[in-house]
Amino acid sequence: MRKRTLVVGSAVAALVIASAIAGCENSPTNGKVEDKKQGSGTLGASASLQDLMKARNLSEADVEAALKTYMPTGKHDEYYIFASGGQSGNVNVIGVPSMRMLKVIGVFTPESWQGWGFGGDGDKVLEGGNQGNHKIRWADMHHPNLSETKGDYDGKYLFVNDKANARVAVIDLADFMTKQIVANPLAASDHGGAFVTPDTDYVIETSQYPAPLGRDYVPLSEYKEKYRGTAIFWKFDRQKGRIDVSKSWALELPPYTQDLADAGKLDSDGWAFVNSWNSEMATGGTLQGKPAIESGSSQNDMDYLHIINWKKAEELVNAGKTKTIAGMRVLMMDVSGPEGVLALVGQPKSPHGCDVTPDGKAIVVGGKLDTHATIYDFAKIKQLIAEKKYESKDPYGLGILPFKETLQGQVEIGLGPLHTVYDDKGNAFTSVFIESVVAKWSYKDFKKPVEKLKVQYNIGHILAAEGDTVSPDGKYLVAMNKMSMDRFLPVGPLYPQNFQLVDLTGEKMRLIADMPLPNAEPHYSQMIKADKVKPIKVYKPGTNPFTGELDPARVEGGKEKIVRNGTKVDVYMTAIRSHFTPDQIEVEEGDDVTIHVTSLETSEDMTHGFTIDLYNINVSLEPGKHENMSFKADMPGTFPMYCTEFCSALHLEMQGYFLVKPKRK
Ligand code: RUQ
Ligand code: CUA
């Protein structure tokens, strides 16, 4: 058992003592000393706090942490975390400070509890994410970003990217459902996404591994000439709550392996910053005796931060200065470079995070193979670009700004600084991967870290309460650790990741909770004040959640029917405790069947599910929701259909039959 300091001096020690005394009146045993003694060494109901601490081998610091994170039954958390579900392709929703998992939102990957991807209308959303002729049903989700108004989270939408298949999804926080997936037509992978501009005009998605724009076949020997990076500015239509693909556009970027991105805010509103890590343009070739990309891309001392003036780029796009590639308007480098819309500046060795400070005045970059956080001064960058004071040009004609002249400063952080988040007091917190610490430093005076907190183990991303807004809250921070080693019960060689909640309210950072992430490697996450998110409780009866409107095929009680038109069969069905109407459907083998089902329930949390056995059909019917399921009755036989969500005492009876009569031979 690890030892911890017993210096608490806080409310806890007082509480422990006070409750030992005052507990006499409140405790069910009325504080009988004998009862308490009985409790020692066990967790009996009558144990005193000290007995419990002894029995569970808890220090005062542990008790303090427990008091800070315990949520009594029925009480709600103060913040939501929207965490990337990594390779699960879905979003994890977590409460803070309890670190309880609240929901998994089906996004890129079918999620069967929500009936997401099993024959309902959500399938059409998933189809939007197909690439070429491939139906893609998994994702490597990296960076969730909440919609913003004036640089503050507004609690309305969440955007996420899929690194593996270059896609972006839109989740509506009114019902926590995925409403749209857009597939990047230019790039094969992305990473710098999904970052939003301060009023969510755009959702930015930048590519990761360079490829010819549009992904045509081009041999690797033509990498420098034909391979490219790209940044897509997906136009978000707030009225519709959807990305408007027709109004979206992209920038051609050099093939430097763009990594992370961030949008400017306040002073730097209208700009975006993208870093990169392969200025060497290494492509591997290990079988031919060439260096692997990992060493090939780590030769130069400098990589490039890309500086994009997106407001000006937008003007050029609107003026028709683009080339259309794979249906997307692209601003090419021969326009963006000379116009000062795209410029470069050096970044120390293999940078990773790229995080604009809350005041928008600086951009902080961590170097994976450098020990510094580098702080760029936006005002200086803007000035240098305006005066065209480039030190040199890259092979694509892009101006390179003089590194030293763009800096506010550099801070010696430690081994492997990655990402940086901020509090409300001018502090920055940088995740330091190799050293496995959170380093706290001041981005106002660039001194060495004032404090380092050990985390378990090898922190990747870091997130803070309202941390990416113009007004971070401080209060909480989460270390998103890539390894958990000895932290949890062993579960085989694939270990959970470890979220560690850090309390920022005291003088020193304090680790107060561990949470195993059971379903993937979350990359980034964001934390929003819970009262900003206002989800609905029930749908207006007959609502199709994917259009947000009453479905034309919605069904009212008493109007249920089965309509046959040639080989097309439409079933208009309702669901209410505890029956489906109709509960018998008979079709012919080969018929095209559509079941339109409306839940007639109006009370909160009264969900039904609907499945047809062996037909891979499964939808969730929240109160008022309408779903349409279309499929071919291609398997003759007798198939029970039933409600999959325990809804009433007669839930098991919420059942019926789907019969498919074999074709006459
Ligand atoms: S990544 S651990 Cu955001 Cu994809 Cu940095
Ligand atoms: Cu309806 Cu169970």
Side-chain angles (χ1 to χ4, degrees):
M1 188 70 196
R2 72 218 129 108
K3 292 232 170 64
R4 287 172 105 161
T5 38
L6 289 173
V7 200
V8 174
S10 64
V12 182
L15 216 152
V16 170
I17 296 158
S19 69
I21 303 161
C24 307
E25 281 123 56
N26 301 335
S27 83
T29 63
N30 213 15
K32 279 186 210 125
V33 179
E34 315 83 78
D35 287 346
K36 281 192 181 151
K37 273 197 183 135
Q38 269 174 17
S40 94
T42 69
L43 297 182
S46 53
S48 73
L49 263 176
Q50 289 93 333
D51 290 337
L52 286 173
M53 285 168 69
K54 214 188 276 169
R56 297 202 59 214
N57 207 359
L58 300 177
S59 69
E60 287 185 10
D62 293 332
V63 175
E64 184 182 9
L67 291 181
K68 283 184 167 161
T69 54
Y70 174 68
M71 242 345 116
T73 183
K75 291 255 161 69
H76 293 184
D77 280 302
E78 192 182 349
Y79 287 91
Y80 286 99
I81 288 178
F82 290 93
S84 139
Q87 303 92 329
S88 79
N90 294 328
V91 164
N92 294 323
V93 187
I94 300 159
V96 173
S98 73
M99 302 307 275
R100 293 180 297 192
M101 188 97 134
L102 302 171
K103 191 165 200 174
V104 173
I105 306 174
V107 186
F108 294 112
T109 308
E111 201 289 321
S112 41
W113 169 49
Q114 285 151 61
W116 177 246
F118 297 95
D121 286 315
D123 286 24
K124 292 177 201 126
V125 177
L126 286 161
E127 294 288 316
N130 292 350
Q131 286 278 26
N133 56 358
H134 284 171
K135 260 189 186 226
I136 298 173
R137 295 295 179 268
W138 86 283
D140 182 15
M141 187 185 287
H142 277 237
H143 308 105
N145 249 239
L146 289 152
S147 56
E148 294 180 10
T149 300
K150 295 198 168 74
D152 253 319
Y153 302 151
D154 56 32
K156 297 278 188 262
Y157 297 95
L158 181 74
F159 307 93
V160 291
N161 75 309
D162 165 17
K163 165 167 162 162
N165 309 294
R167 302 176 301 166
V168 167
V170 180
I171 297 157
D172 191 335
L173 296 180
D175 60 358
F176 283 50
M177 283 187 74
T178 304
K179 300 299 162 106
Q180 185 183 26
I181 299 177
V182 291
N184 185 325
L186 299 171
S189 63
D190 70 28
H191 197 244
F195 296 101
V196 301
T197 54
D199 279 307
T200 323
D201 298 305
Y202 286 104
V203 182
I204 304 171
E205 181 200 18
T206 65
S207 57
Q208 180 127 70
Y209 308 119
L213 296 185
R215 309 178 293 242
D216 288 340
Y217 165 79
V218 174
L220 276 161
S221 56
E222 292 172 43
Y223 185 89
K224 284 184 190 152
E225 300 76 39
K226 303 269 178 66
Y227 283 54
R228 291 293 179 266
T230 183
I232 295 201
F233 284 72
W234 293 107
K235 180 78 189 153
F236 186 62
D237 181 337
R238 207 180 254 277
Q239 284 299 313
K240 297 204 177 98
R242 302 288 187 274
I243 283 169
D244 185 341
V245 177
S246 71
K247 295 205 175 106
S248 306
W249 46 271
L251 285 165
E252 178 198 29
L253 301 180
Y256 298 151
T257 310
Q258 284 73 27
D259 195 26
L260 275 149
D262 203 0
K265 54 182 86 134
L266 299 175
D267 284 23
S268 51
D269 187 11
W271 295 70
F273 311 94
V274 186
N275 55 21
S276 62
W277 49 257
N278 186 6
S279 55
E280 298 83 352
M281 296 187 268
T283 58
T286 43
L287 265 192
Q288 293 88 52
K290 292 195 206 135
I293 294 177
E294 67 171 317
S295 58
S297 68
S298 310
Q299 302 302 309
N300 297 347
D301 283 335
M302 288 287 194
D303 289 289
Y304 294 118
L305 177 68
H306 299 52
I307 300 147
I308 298 168
N309 180 343
W310 66 257
K311 280 248 165 91
K312 195 162 168 197
E314 186 184 50
E315 284 167 23
L316 296 173
V317 169
N318 289 337
K321 300 264 162 75
T322 52
K323 181 175 166 189
T324 300
I325 303 174
M328 175 70 69
R329 291 172 300 164
V330 186
L331 201 59
M332 305 302 278
M333 290 190 282
D334 56 4
V335 181
S336 60
E339 291 279 357
V341 155
L342 175 61
L344 306 172
V345 62
Q347 307 181 281
K349 274 192 165 299
S350 301
H352 190 45
C354 172
D355 302 289
V356 176
T357 52
D359 56 15
K361 290 186 195 301
I363 305 110
V364 177
V365 162
K368 290 175 299 212
L369 303 179
D370 188 64
T371 55
H372 295 93
T374 301
I375 304 114
Y376 295 87
D377 187 323
F378 175 69
K380 290 181 186 168
I381 288 180
K382 197 173 160 188
Q383 184 74 21
L384 288 165
I385 293 178
E387 293 168 4
K388 297 203 161 127
K389 277 206 180 147
Y390 300 116
E391 171 183 80
S392 57
K393 295 231 153 120
D394 85 335
Y396 303 95
L398 300 176
I400 304 172
L401 299 173
F403 175 64
K404 290 244 161 72
E405 288 175 45
T406 60
L407 294 192
Q408 248 180 43
Q410 282 189 299
V411 180
E412 176 87 40
I413 298 280
L415 288 179
L418 299 181
H419 301 278
T420 300
V421 288
Y422 307 95
D423 71 2
D424 52 341
K425 299 181 189 72
N427 292 308
F429 301 84
T430 300
S431 57
V432 192
F433 178 77
I434 300 171
E435 237 181 280
S436 198
V437 296
V438 172
K440 175 180 173 184
W441 53 283
S442 157
Y443 66 87
K444 303 282 180 205
D445 59 15
F446 320 122
K447 299 238 178 69
K448 279 192 161 244
V450 289
E451 195 191 341
K452 282 187 176 178
L453 177 75
K454 278 251 167 245
V455 289
Q456 289 80 23
Y457 300 91
N458 300 87
I459 178 172
H461 268 283
I462 183 168
L463 75 111
E466 303 257 329
D468 294 306
T469 68
V470 292
S471 56
D473 284 3
K475 205 156 183 177
Y476 297 113
L477 174 153
V478 175
M480 304 170 67
N481 303 304
K482 302 287 184 194
M483 278 144 215
S484 61
M485 252 81 101
D486 54 7
R487 294 292 107 168
F488 308 111
L489 282 177
V491 288
L494 180 59
Y495 285 55
Q497 308 260 317
N498 187 13
F499 271 18
Q500 289 184 305
L501 181 66
V502 176
D503 174 12
L504 297 182
T505 55
E507 241 329 282
K508 296 234 161 212
M509 292 184 276
R510 192 171 213 134
L511 209 156
I512 52 173
D514 278 23
M515 178 199 184
L517 263 287
N519 59 352
E521 181 199 338
H523 291 262
Y524 196 42
S525 307
Q526 285 189 331
M527 195 193 306
I528 179 174
K529 199 82 202 292
D531 59 14
K532 285 184 172 180
V533 182
K534 298 195 169 66
I536 57 164
K537 294 189 168 156
V538 299
Y539 291 102
K540 200 164 161 207
T543 302
N544 181 324
F546 305 102
T547 60
E549 282 160 19
L550 293 180
D551 196 284
R554 68 187 180 279
V555 189
E556 283 166 36
K559 304 249 173 83
E560 300 89 348
K561 58 188 173 186
I562 299 176
V563 183
R564 172 177 285 280
N565 214 322
T567 57
K568 198 176 164 347
V569 180
D570 285 278
V571 180
Y572 296 87
M573 178 189 271
T574 59
I576 190 162
R577 273 161 290 173
S578 301
H579 51 272
F580 295 108
T581 311
D583 54 2
Q584 297 171 357
I585 304 169
E586 184 164 324
V587 301
E588 314 265 325
E589 180 183 357
D591 281 348
D592 290 306
V593 180
T594 303
I595 299 179
H596 312 271
V597 56
T598 301
S599 164
L600 300 180
E601 299 289 353
T602 52
S603 38
E604 185 178 347
D605 204 10
M606 190 40 65
T607 296
H608 301 286
F610 174 81
T611 184
I612 302 176
D613 294 349
L614 313 196
Y615 259 87
N616 204 31
I617 294 282
N618 168 39
V619 297
S620 168
L621 297 168
E622 293 94 275
K625 191 178 182 188
H626 180 88
E627 278 274 10
N628 302 292
M629 295 152 266
S630 295
F631 59 96
K632 206 173 207 40
D634 51 6
M635 180 162 51
T638 301
F639 308 96
M641 47 189 204
Y642 74 95
C643 170
T644 57
E645 182 100 11
F646 210 105
C647 52
S648 71
L650 297 177
H651 151 78
L652 295 179
E653 287 79 352
M654 194 161 174
Q655 184 245 313
Y657 283 98
F658 179 68
L659 302 164
V660 183
K661 211 168 164 188
K663 259 194 197 126
R664 246 178 278 147
K665 299 262 155 71

